[in-house]
């Protein structure tokens, strides 16, 4: 069976992404080639998304509405236009990260590539990992590049001479290049500049002591799993660090995720009627295709915007966006009737007990709701 057109576009996107990482990690790699290949990787990826989702991504003449043509073919959106479509929030750290590298692509001077690579190291890592996150969240784990990428070996982090070379190379950057990055970041909110999706930085600390079977060459530490004292030490070490060694592993799988009961409580706080896990929540995820049935052979086949599968606990967790989607679909009595083809149950006037992290909301008057339903 012939593959869909978006699949071939995705294969080309992956090819460019792998070439880009190879250029970055190779000792004789070319920074300009890294920028070019990551540009194309993102470009093909977003075109594949739009094609699959039936989103028109070609320029049209504002007067006639017809396609603008290049060599007889419709002119496709450039990457900057694609980024605005995919990330409409101009302060989105993923969009800003990609837009910075679009700007850098046309400004790189060959003799200063090494210094620029050092200065933008964390941002480049974020660019690649944002790409991986976008790839997997839209097309599934089958398209992940994780198994084909490895943590690179670096001497610069291990010797004082290496660290000094880093500082010297960064200091030699020409003023126009330094100004480009500085001016770009001057317009960004500090909170966004510190977001790992814009610039991901880590500190490498050698592991000393007996090795266990569970040890890997690289271990990633989650700050939210450390004690207060451990976290303070790690944060302080990062604040005063001078070695630029940057990488990102994966997004924290269940950060800000909600259990079904928490979803139900949050939804019920936002709508004028009762909302429960059974039957409403279960019926909604089934009908909207948010996750597969419990008996599915592929439990990871979820809509990542709204739901993720937790391998450890063999269960599903939901995103805040899922709460918003539910409220949008059935947030009024009229919408509830249309979706479920039945009447909603009025809230009872009672003392609410909520799970941790879910604020209690006052119930509306039961009779008032009955009047609305009537």
């Amino acid at each position: 069976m012939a593959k869909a057109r978006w699949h071939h576009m995705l294969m080309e996107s992956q090819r460019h992404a792998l070439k880009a990482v190879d250029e970055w990690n190779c000792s004789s790699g070319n920074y300009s080639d890294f920028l070019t290949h990551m540009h194309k990787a993102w470009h093909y990826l977003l075109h594949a998304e739009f094609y699959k989702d039936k989103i028109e991504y070609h320029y049209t003449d504002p007067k006639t509405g017809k396609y603008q043509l290049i060599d007889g073919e419709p002119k496709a959106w450039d990457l900057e236009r694609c980024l605005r479509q995919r990330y409409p929030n101009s302060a989105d750290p993923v969009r800003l990260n990609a837009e910075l590298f679009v700007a850098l692509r046309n400004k790189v001077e060959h003799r200063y590539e090494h210094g620029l690579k050092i200065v933008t190291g964390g941002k480049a890592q974020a660019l690649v990992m944002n790409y991986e996150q976008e790839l997997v969240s839209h097309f599934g784990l089958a398209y992940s590049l994780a198994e084909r990428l490895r943590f690179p070996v670096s001497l610069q982090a291990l010797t004082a001479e290496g660290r000094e070379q880093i500082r010297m190379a960064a200091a030699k950057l020409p003023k126009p290049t330094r100004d480009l990055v500085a001016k770009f970041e001057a317009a960004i909110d500090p909170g966004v500049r510190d977001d790992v999706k814009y610039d991901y930085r880590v500190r490498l600390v050698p592991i000393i002591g007996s090795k266990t079977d569970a040890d890997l060459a690289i271990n990633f530490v989650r700050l939210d799993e450390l004690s207060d004292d451990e976290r303070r030490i790690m944060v302080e070490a990062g604040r005063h660090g001078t070695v630029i060694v940057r990488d990102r592993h994966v997004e924290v799988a269940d950060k800000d995720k909600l259990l079904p009961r928490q979803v139900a409580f949050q939804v019920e706080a936002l709508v004028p009627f009762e909302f429960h896990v059974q039957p409403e929540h279960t019926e909604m995820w089934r009908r909207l295709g948010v996750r597969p049935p419990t008996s599915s052979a592929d439990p990871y086949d979820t809509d990542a915007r709204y739901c993720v599968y937790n391998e450890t606990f063999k269960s599903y967790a939901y995103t805040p966006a899922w709460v918003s989607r539910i409220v949008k679909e059935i947030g009024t009595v009229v919408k509830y009737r249309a979706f479920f083809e039945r009447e909603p149950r009025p809230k009872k006037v009672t003392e609410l007990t909520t799970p941790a992290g879910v604020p209690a909301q006052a119930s509306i008057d039961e009779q008032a709701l009955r009047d609305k339903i009537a």
Side-chain angles (χ1 to χ4, degrees):
M1 181 182 294
K3 296 286 188 180
R5 182 180 175 185
W6 63 260
H7 174 85
H8 296 291
M9 298 162 76
L10 207 58
M11 293 301 97
E12 186 67 4
S13 172
Q14 288 184 325
R15 185 181 73 83
H16 281 292
L18 291 170
K19 282 288 294 180
V21 176
D22 285 345
E23 287 293 337
W24 182 276
N25 290 337
C26 179
S27 60
S28 59
N30 185 290
Y31 185 71
S32 295
D33 288 345
F34 166 80
L35 295 177
T36 297
H37 285 297
M38 279 308 302
H39 186 105
K40 291 181 178 179
W42 268 102
H43 206 182
Y44 278 113
L45 172 61
L46 295 180
H47 280 185
E49 285 187 20
F50 298 155
Y51 185 89
K52 186 172 184 289
D53 294 342
K54 296 180 173 56
I55 296 174
E56 180 53 61
Y57 60 96
H58 294 89
Y59 289 104
T60 56
D61 188 299
K63 294 182 179 179
T64 65
K66 295 182 179 180
Y67 287 131
Q68 296 181 24
L69 303 179
I70 295 182
D71 297 330
E73 295 292 329
K75 179 182 177 182
W77 289 347
D78 57 35
L79 179 54
E80 287 180 288
R81 178 65 184 84
C82 291
L83 290 168
R84 292 197 298 272
Q85 171 70 29
R86 175 62 184 86
Y87 305 99
N89 180 4
S90 60
D92 189 296
V94 176
R95 171 176 159 178
L96 286 169
N97 173 270
E99 286 177 337
L100 172 62
F101 282 97
V102 170
L104 285 171
R105 184 186 179 203
N106 301 321
K107 296 291 184 180
V108 177
E109 297 181 51
H110 179 72
R111 57 181 172 155
Y112 297 117
E113 284 187 1
H114 181 59
L116 193 56
K117 182 176 179 180
I118 291 168
V119 170
T120 61
K123 298 173 181 64
Q125 295 288 357
L127 180 71
V128 174
M129 289 306 181
N130 291 342
Y131 170 88
E132 165 76 359
Q133 179 67 26
E134 181 74 11
L135 180 70
V136 172
S137 66
H138 205 91
F139 294 97
L141 285 172
Y143 290 94
S144 172
L145 298 180
E147 291 187 356
R148 285 180 272 180
L149 302 180
R150 298 292 181 269
F151 191 88
V153 175
S154 174
L155 295 179
Q156 292 174 322
L158 306 181
T159 66
E161 291 77 12
R163 294 194 293 272
E164 182 59 28
Q165 285 183 357
I166 287 176
R167 282 191 289 268
M168 291 174 61
K172 291 179 180 179
L173 279 176
K175 188 176 185 297
T177 303
R178 282 186 277 114
D179 286 350
L180 186 153
V181 177
K183 289 178 181 178
F184 186 91
E185 295 193 332
I188 301 177
D189 183 90
V192 176
R193 287 202 303 268
D194 292 339
D195 193 303
V196 294
K197 291 181 179 179
Y198 177 75
D199 190 354
Y200 202 97
R201 298 165 295 168
V202 300
R203 171 176 289 274
L204 298 183
V205 180
I207 299 174
I208 300 174
S210 301
K211 185 181 185 300
T212 69
D213 292 338
D215 282 344
L216 299 173
I218 303 294
N219 290 308
F220 292 85
V221 178
R222 291 174 49 173
L223 287 179
D224 57 357
E225 293 180 347
L226 301 177
S227 68
D228 290 342
D229 287 342
E230 290 172 332
R231 190 181 302 110
R232 178 181 54 78
I233 292 171
M234 294 292 286
V235 171
E236 195 66 21
R239 184 177 294 118
H240 295 293
T242 55
V243 183
I244 304 175
V245 184
R246 308 180 178 193
D247 189 57
R248 179 183 173 190
H249 183 39
V250 294
E251 182 181 359
V252 178
D254 292 333
K255 182 180 180 182
D256 300 327
K257 300 301 187 295
L258 305 168
L259 296 175
R261 190 165 68 95
Q262 292 173 308
V263 172
F265 268 100
Q266 290 197 11
V267 171
E268 187 166 297
L270 298 170
V271 299
F273 39 73
E274 291 185 2
F275 186 91
H276 300 286
V277 175
Q278 294 290 352
E280 286 93 353
H281 184 257
T282 300
E283 191 171 340
M284 289 199 75
W285 66 250
R286 283 175 176 166
R287 289 175 57 181
L288 296 176
V290 169
R291 48 156 282 198
T294 304
S295 59
S296 172
D298 183 10
Y300 294 97
D301 186 23
T302 67
D303 185 332
R305 296 173 298 174
Y306 306 124
C307 179
V308 295
Y309 180 68
N310 187 304
E311 172 65 28
T312 302
F313 298 102
K314 309 295 183 185
S315 63
Y316 292 92
Y318 301 86
T319 67
W322 175 231
V323 173
S324 299
R325 174 71 186 279
I326 292 174
V327 174
K328 180 180 179 181
E329 293 286 344
I330 56 95
T332 67
V333 172
V334 173
K335 289 182 177 180
Y336 185 102
R337 285 174 179 157
F339 189 93
F340 293 110
E341 298 183 345
R342 59 176 180 266
E343 296 295 333
R345 288 166 293 186
K347 285 184 181 179
K348 297 177 181 179
V349 180
T350 182
E351 188 75 20
L352 293 182
T353 303
T354 63
V358 181
Q361 300 282 339
S363 297
I364 67 168
D365 181 76
E366 183 177 357
Q367 186 57 48
L369 177 59
R370 287 201 179 98
D371 292 341
K372 289 184 179 180
I373 294 176

